[in-house]
Amino acid sequence: MNLIDTAFARLKVEGKTALIPFLTMGDPDLATSVAIIKTLEESGADMIELGVPYSDPLADGPVIQRASERALLNNRITLRDCIEVAEQAREAGVKIPFILFTYYNPIFQFGLEAFFELVKSKGISGLIIPDLPIEEDGEVRQLAEAADVHLIPLVAPTSNDRVTRISRKARGFVYCVSSLGVTGVRADFHKGIDDFLSLVREATDLPIAVGFGISSREQVARFEKQCDGVIVGSAIVRQIEEAIPLLNDASRREAGLKQIGDFVASLKG
C-alpha cells in the first residue's frame, strides 16, 4: 500500500488530521533540508511536500519564490537533487511519506520515464504538478500509476463544474486551495471556502487536504473538522528563511532547527 494511504488510514483511526509541511529543497542547502525534514517529523509532521525550486513558478508567492532563488542561485539545485533528498532522509531514519511538488517543465526536460523510474526508486509516494491540467495529464497519470506514485490534483474555489471531474481522477488525496492567487500567509480565506470543501467532499471518497495561506495553529484548527489534512508552506519556509543565519553557523545549527521544529509543533497543537 502507498505510504500516503497508510498514513491517512492510521490518522482516521486515531481521529487526527494530517499536518503536511512544504519545504523548498536546497534552501539553505541539501544537507540542511534533510536535517529539517527529520526535525519536522519529530515535531509532528505526518507527511512532507518536497518543493522543487523553479525559476518561473505559477502558484508560489514571494516567500517561496525567494527560497527558490536561494536554492537555484546559491546551490544550483536540480530536480534529481530534490528527488535524492528523499533517499537521504530515509537513510537518516525518516519514515513519513514524501510528496514531490514540481512544475511540468523540469519533468519533461528530465524525461517522463526516467523521472518516474527515479521517483519510484527513491521512495516518493506522491506528486503534485500545479501547471498540468487533467485534460493533458494522461501520459503522466499512466506512468504514475505504474510506479505507485499518487498524482495529487489541486482544486480551487473557481474550479466550478470541474471539481467533480478533477476529484474523481485524484489519487492519494485532493489538494483544496483555500484562497485565490498564489501561496502566502493570509488573514482571511475565500468567502465560500466552507461550501467549496463540502462540494469536494461530496465528489470523492479520498481524503481532502486544504492549503494556501495557512500559517497559524488557529487557522489549522479552523479546518481540522472539515478536512483530513492541512498543508502549511509559506509560513514554514519563512521560518527557515529567518533561521538561515543559525543554520549556516555550525555552533548554532541545532538552535535553528529547534526554532523551526517548535513552530511546526505549535501548528500541530
Side-chain angles (χ1 to χ4, degrees):
M1 180 183 263
N2 186 292
L3 286 180
I4 293 173
D5 301 330
T6 303
F8 275 119
R10 173 183 55 80
L11 290 164
K12 184 176 182 179
V13 170
E14 295 173 356
K16 297 178 181 178
T17 304
L19 177 64
I20 310 173
F22 169 99
L23 304 174
T24 300
M25 295 298 94
D27 179 39
D29 57 70
L30 288 172
T32 304
S33 291
V34 173
I36 293 171
I37 290 169
K38 187 170 177 60
T39 298
L40 297 195
E41 181 182 51
E42 293 168 351
S43 302
D46 297 291
M47 50 192 84
I48 295 180
E49 283 186 34
L50 310 180
V52 177
Y54 190 54
S55 59
D56 189 23
L58 172 76
D60 297 326
V63 173
I64 296 176
Q65 285 183 31
R66 290 197 301 270
S68 288
E69 288 173 3
R70 290 191 295 270
L72 292 170
L73 295 176
N74 298 340
N75 302 313
R76 299 186 179 275
I77 299 301
T78 66
L79 177 59
R80 180 181 292 274
D81 291 332
C82 298
I83 296 170
E84 290 180 346
V85 162
E87 181 178 53
Q88 294 162 18
R90 290 279 182 254
E91 291 171 351
V94 177
K95 294 181 171 56
I96 58 177
F98 296 132
I99 301 159
L100 193 72
F101 183 108
T102 183
Y103 293 89
Y104 180 69
N105 189 55
I107 298 175
F108 179 76
Q109 296 295 330
F110 196 93
L112 294 182
E113 292 187 1
F115 169 78
F116 278 102
E117 286 176 8
L118 186 62
V119 164
K120 182 178 181 179
S121 70
K122 302 304 180 185
I124 289 174
S125 301
L127 177 63
I128 298 172
I129 311 174
D131 59 344
L132 181 64
I134 59 167
E135 291 83 3
E136 300 173 20
D137 72 359
E139 186 176 8
V140 169
R141 179 173 299 280
Q142 184 178 6
L143 290 167
E145 292 188 355
D148 191 28
V149 174
H150 286 332
L151 187 59
I152 299 161
L154 275 71
V155 291
T158 52
S159 295
N160 300 321
D161 60 338
R162 298 177 78 247
V163 167
T164 298
R165 284 193 292 132
I166 294 170
S167 299
R168 287 178 178 171
K169 278 188 144 186
R171 296 292 183 270
F173 64 91
V174 179
Y175 188 140
C176 302
V177 175
S178 67
S179 309
L180 303 182
V182 297
T183 60
V185 174
R186 288 177 172 83
D188 299 303
F189 301 100
H190 187 268
K191 63 181 180 180
I193 184 63
D194 298 304
D195 291 339
F196 166 62
L197 292 174
S198 296
L199 178 63
V200 178
R201 179 71 78 187
E202 292 172 3
T204 182
D205 294 328
L206 290 175
I208 66 172
V210 63
F212 275 53
I214 299 171
S215 61
S216 67
R217 172 59 199 162
E218 291 72 23
Q219 291 176 339
V220 170
R222 185 244 189 272
F223 290 110
E224 280 182 330
K225 293 182 180 178
Q226 295 172 283
C227 299
D228 305 286
V230 178
I231 299 157
V232 182
S234 294
I236 294 173
V237 174
R238 186 172 62 185
Q239 289 288 324
I240 295 169
E241 182 177 54
E242 292 173 356
I244 285 176
L246 298 174
L247 297 170
N248 286 341
D249 182 341
S251 66
R252 298 190 294 165
R253 188 166 181 266
E254 290 303 318
L257 292 171
K258 184 178 185 301
Q259 182 175 306
I260 297 163
D262 286 348
F263 176 71
V264 171
S266 75
L267 295 172
K268 190 74 173 179

